[in-house]
Amino acid sequence: MTANPPRSPLVSAADLKEELAGPLPPVLLDVRWQLGGPNLRPAYEAGHLPNAVYVDLDSELAGQAGSGGRHPLPDPEEFGAVMRRAGVSADTPVVVYDGGLGWAAARAWWLLRWTGHPRVRVLDGGLAAWQAGDGPLSAEVTPVSEGDFKPNPGAIGLLDADGAAALARTGVLLDARAGERYRGEVEPIDPVGGHIPGALSAPTTENTGSDGLLLDRDALRARFEGLGVHADTSTPVGVYCGSGVSGAHEVLALAAAGIPAALYAGSWSEWSADPTREVAVGELPG
């Protein structure tokens, strides 16, 4: 007997339409976000998926910026309170979406998975895919009943700086940032450019097609196999980025390929803030 394939972390716009009309519609979370930009709640209020609840990445899906990075993990109990206010319960499905890039939605997906929610998915292609499929939008902010979700951190892999450094030597550590930041040619945000020694460059932007959708399972597997990551081996895999947001999107892509991976949440913003940690530059892992 063939084992059932793992549940996809994605849902298409067409399938979501059907689920929303069904007997157990998922809770919808709108996580639109702009790096370095203003809060996008006004965009949510102008039009969102019907009954979706807005969640702000900077203030609700991250802790206070500091030595732990620009987007350190939020306090689990505070995160749980945010999710309950948004109507999330332990036994109800959740679908998260953003403006289309997928990074912010993946951050919410990762946090819910890490804290133990078993039924959370990302709308593939986000708001753009929903509108391309003639999905309706609403400007009504609908009150929701409080959920009962209680976070239980540790359901999926999390790395700290030392763990990321070790994994770069003993497994595969992927750097999800743009290649020029990995190589140290430019660094627009953090104190120094370059990468964690031993990490491989794997920009998460290469996990999506021109339509904004994640590549299909076979294409993702082929991509990661080219980086030495195979779905049928036990080699541990980790991912980092600038501050733990786009890295969550790469973890999502790996999950869609059937490959579990841990996230170094502090990422380069934490690593580069510590002058005692080594920095590699150039195309080679170093």
Side-chain angles (χ1 to χ4, degrees), residues 10 98 100-107 109-110 122 124 176 203-208 212-214 224 239 241 244-255 263:
L10 305 171
D98 59 23
L101 190 59
W103 295 3
R107 170 74 173 211
W109 167 84
W110 187 89
V122 171
D124 197 10
T204 200
T205 52
E206 296 179 15
N207 294 319
T208 55
L213 304 177
L214 270 181
F224 292 124
V239 180
C241 58
V245 178
S246 66
H249 188 262
E250 185 122 299
V251 174
L252 175 73
L254 284 155
L263 177 68

Side-chain angles (χ1 to χ4, degrees), residues 59-79:
S59 64
E60 296 179 312
L61 301 182
Q64 186 69 36
S67 60
R70 284 181 280 111
H71 290 106
L73 297 184
D75 175 84
E77 291 306 314
E78 293 178 5
F79 171 70

